[in-house]
Amino acid sequence: MTLFRTITVMLIVLSTIPVMVTGALIGNYGDKPFMLTWQLLLLGIFGIVLAIAIGTFFALGITRPISKCVTGALAIARGNFGYSLDIKSRNEIGELAHTFNYMSRQLLYYDNKNKELLASIERAYLETIRALANSIDAKDPYTRGHSMRVTEYAQMLGKDLGLEENELNLLSFGSTLHDIGKIGIREEILTKKTQLTDSERKLMQQHPVLGEKIIEPVDFLQPVRPLIRHHHEWVDGSGYPDGLKGDQIPLGARIIATVDTYDAVTSKRPYQEAVTKHQAIEILNKLRDTQLDPIVCDAMVRIVKTRLPPPSVEKVSPDKPSFLLDNGTEESNSVPKTREVV
Amino acid sequence: MSTRALLCDDDMPIRKMLRDILEEKGLFVIEARDGQEALSLLQKEDVDLVVTDFLMPKVDGLQLIRTLRATERNQLLPVVLLSAISRKQIMRDELADLGPTYYINKPFRPRKLRKLIEIIIQRIQKTKPNNPS
């Protein structure tokens, strides 16, 4: 605004002075005045009006592009990288606009590059977590693919329960790693075919605590720790390790517990045969309110009924998410009594 | 209780200068270095007046005003917005009602700010006795 005023005033002063001076000279030339006073006055007014018009025009020509630059700078400051100015002047202001647009494009490019880097770091995190999860599977062949399936179902369940993007991410980490503590359990206990003795069961029940300890030093997994520690808690408070009840158990842990139960009963274990989808639903309903959170459990039953294939399909291709392979409508004829361990 | 002002600017010398003006008017001043700090201070502290810069890192002055107006208690809180950017530029894309916001163009004469602060203090004192708290 100030610049606009300066330029206008400057042009008015500079252009009216010569008009006045010439007017005065012409007016007083010789004995007979060439122009009358009112004519002189008119000429002066005309000169001033003209000066104002021209002054405004030039002033706007300079201040408008500059104020556009300010708008652009503010847009970029607000994170709108790539914002480009529409200035056609061929003077220094045009040059400024050109370099401004160049800067804006470069910023957009750097920003995208940073986003790509972040994405690749996140991928690296995920791969590291997968590798950790694989190490559990390597130790206990009966649970092979268990972590992957639990992750896959937990995501479906989480989305169904309306979790947000970052919560789903944490849930994915938590569900992949939920059994990581089994690395610290002796193999004889993990693969034992008969009932565990009391002392063995106590050792086995240490795995959520061990799992939490294992990931403790990893900074980005801090929010996942409660999910791993509490995935064997029961809503009635009779679970382990802390005997938490209902809402005291983090929602993520309740989701993992439900999905874990479903996958455990539909998989062949050293101590049990796999059950069909139908039987699994019955088991889930039986555990509702005692072991499993009612809301989470109901959502899981809904998902099992509508979206999950019968457990047998999983062995066809363990690499791909099983729900992509089959709709799982024909349940009765495709379910074998036992599922092969790949 | 004395009248409390929250002062928010990322530039130390300007903060000091503004603090002097505000304290001279008998205000108790708390300082923030950017909009984010101001918002977290506003959650803990009760203030009667906010004096803020526009161009600040993290959260700018306009975002600060917009965010603080979202709280019921701050809807009528007087805010003085200081900026080298013209009011027209700042308000270009602004649709929300910013409530009692006073704008001062930088660089400004201290006299102008003093006068504005006096007017605001008078208004605050007029409304305060009606306030049960």
Side-chain angles (χ1 to χ4, degrees):
Chain A
M1 196 64 210
T2 343
L3 183 62
F4 177 81
R5 222 181 298 144
T6 317
I7 295 171
T8 324
V9 169
M10 193 181 72
L11 276 166
I12 290 170
V13 170
L14 287 183
S15 58
T16 45
I17 288 172
V19 168
M20 296 292 203
V21 171
T22 14
L25 282 176
I26 293 168
N28 296 323
Y29 187 75
D31 300 332
K32 211 172 90 191
F34 179 70
M35 273 186 171
L36 301 171
T37 322
W38 67 268
Q39 281 174 320
L40 266 177
L41 218 70
L42 211 66
L43 189 68
I45 290 170
F46 176 73
I48 290 172
V49 170
L50 197 69
I52 290 176
I54 295 173
T56 313
F57 178 74
F58 278 109
L60 278 181
I62 293 172
T63 52
R64 225 188 248 147
I66 290 179
S67 99
K68 270 188 193 168
C69 286
V70 176
T71 313
L74 283 178
I76 285 179
R78 285 169 180 155
N80 188 0
F81 301 126
Y83 185 95
S84 106
L85 300 174
D86 176 32
I87 296 173
K88 289 182 190 79
S89 346
R90 283 200 201 151
N91 49 22
E92 285 84 346
I93 295 173
E95 216 175 335
L96 173 66
H98 248 88
T99 40
F100 181 94
N101 288 347
Y102 174 64
M103 176 190 78
S104 178
R105 280 197 303 276
Q106 289 295 95
L107 281 174
L108 181 66
Y109 164 72
Y110 297 140
D111 187 45
N112 284 339
K113 209 158 135 189
N114 276 337
K115 276 181 190 150
E116 266 168 39
L117 286 175
L118 186 68
S120 84
I121 288 173
E122 272 171 359
R123 256 199 317 279
Y125 276 166
L126 209 70
E127 282 158 11
T128 313
I129 284 178
R130 290 247 167 82
L132 274 171
N134 285 346
S135 63
I136 322 162
D137 291 0
K139 192 158 186 199
D140 181 3
Y142 284 97
T143 63
R144 183 159 301 166
H146 172 69
S147 308
M148 290 285 278
R149 284 194 301 273
V150 167
T151 309
E152 188 187 297
Y153 301 159
Q155 285 297 298
M156 295 165 84
L157 192 48
K159 270 180 207 155
D160 201 75
L161 291 168
L163 294 192
E164 279 169 21
E165 188 70 33
N166 61 332
E167 292 171 316
L168 283 174
N169 260 335
L170 291 180
L171 181 62
S172 144
F173 292 163
S175 45
T176 312
L177 292 175
H178 72 280
D179 272 346
I180 188 85
K182 284 191 177 169
I183 288 177
I185 309 286
R186 285 209 311 277
E187 234 162 287
E188 310 95 84
I189 302 178
L190 284 181
T191 52
K192 196 174 176 190
K193 289 196 168 62
T194 50
Q195 279 276 329
L196 298 176
T197 64
D198 274 354
S199 62
E200 284 170 335
R201 187 175 300 116
K202 272 210 182 98
L203 278 176
M204 187 69 179
Q205 291 186 347
Q206 283 300 303
H207 85 265
V209 182
L210 285 175
E212 193 204 2
K213 283 222 179 90
I214 288 172
I215 65 160
E216 199 183 326
V218 188
D219 190 47
F220 81 96
L221 289 178
Q222 292 308 311
V224 178
R225 281 171 56 191
L227 269 57
I228 293 176
R229 187 180 175 94
H230 299 305
H231 79 273
H232 276 294
E233 302 283 4
W234 288 31
V235 281
D236 64 0
S238 58
Y240 58 88
D242 298 324
L244 297 185
K245 269 184 190 175
D247 284 348
Q248 292 175 324
I249 312 167
L251 178 62
R254 279 179 269 156
I255 291 175
I256 295 173
T258 309
V259 175
D260 192 23
T261 308
Y262 174 78
D263 193 68
V265 296
T266 53
S267 308
K268 188 175 180 259
R269 291 285 170 94
Y271 45 86
Q272 72 171 27
E273 294 295 317
V275 302
T276 64
K277 207 164 99 167
H278 192 69
Q279 287 167 311
I281 292 175
E282 268 175 26
I283 293 173
L284 284 180
N285 280 332
K286 213 178 281 169
L287 297 174
R288 190 179 180 274
D289 291 322
T290 54
Q291 183 181 346
L292 305 176
D293 182 281
I295 298 166
V296 181
C297 184
D298 290 347
M300 186 64 197
V301 168
R302 215 160 45 233
I303 287 175
V304 173
K305 272 184 187 159
T306 54
R307 284 153 66 191
L308 286 193
S312 68
V313 185
E314 285 151 18
K315 78 171 190 225
V316 177
S317 169
D319 302 332
K320 286 184 191 158
S322 51
F323 60 87
L324 295 177
L325 294 170
D326 190 349
N327 292 333
T329 39
E330 252 66 66
E331 176 187 311
S332 49
N333 49 25
S334 63
V335 175
K337 270 279 158 253
T338 57
R339 212 187 63 209
E340 244 177 78
V341 176
V342 198
Chain B
M1 202 180 83
S2 63
T3 317
R4 295 158 69 87
L6 172 65
L7 171 57
C8 185
D9 198 311
D10 55 328
D11 197 356
M12 219 279 279
I14 293 188
R15 222 161 47 224
K16 194 176 171 331
M17 190 261 292
L18 288 172
R19 175 184 265 270
D20 287 345
I21 294 179
L22 293 175
E23 279 179 346
E24 178 192 306
K25 295 289 163 204
L27 293 171
F28 179 81
V29 180
I30 45 177
E31 280 181 26
R33 271 162 305 179
D34 57 59
Q36 216 167 55
E37 209 181 310
L39 284 174
S40 60
L41 273 173
L42 275 173
Q43 277 177 355
K44 286 179 278 179
E45 314 256 348
D46 223 351
V47 296
D48 306 294
L49 165 67
V50 175
V51 178
T52 177
D53 186 22
F54 173 60
L55 291 180
M56 292 182 296
K58 295 180 208 169
V59 175
D60 69 37
L62 195 62
Q63 281 172 305
L64 169 67
I65 299 175
R66 229 181 280 150
T67 319
L68 71 85
R69 290 285 183 244
T71 331
E72 179 83 43
R73 162 169 75 108
N74 292 334
Q75 254 160 22
L76 291 173
L77 178 69
V79 179
V80 179
L81 183 61
L82 304 163
S83 180
I85 311 286
S86 68
R87 188 197 183 109
K88 211 171 102 194
Q89 276 288 359
I90 296 177
M91 301 296 171
R92 188 179 287 271
D93 314 309
E94 188 54 46
L95 301 169
D97 176 23
L98 294 182
T101 302
Y102 306 86
Y103 179 85
I104 289 189
N105 212 337
K106 263 189 196 173
F108 58 88
R109 289 181 205 286
R111 188 160 24 100
K112 198 173 166 188
L113 182 66
R114 283 201 189 94
K115 220 176 235 171
L116 179 61
I117 298 290
E118 266 167 34
I119 295 170
I120 293 173
I121 289 175
Q122 273 172 14
R123 276 197 200 154
I124 292 169
Q125 276 159 359
K126 240 183 251 169
T127 51
K128 251 200 169 169
N130 307 338
N131 215 333
S133 64

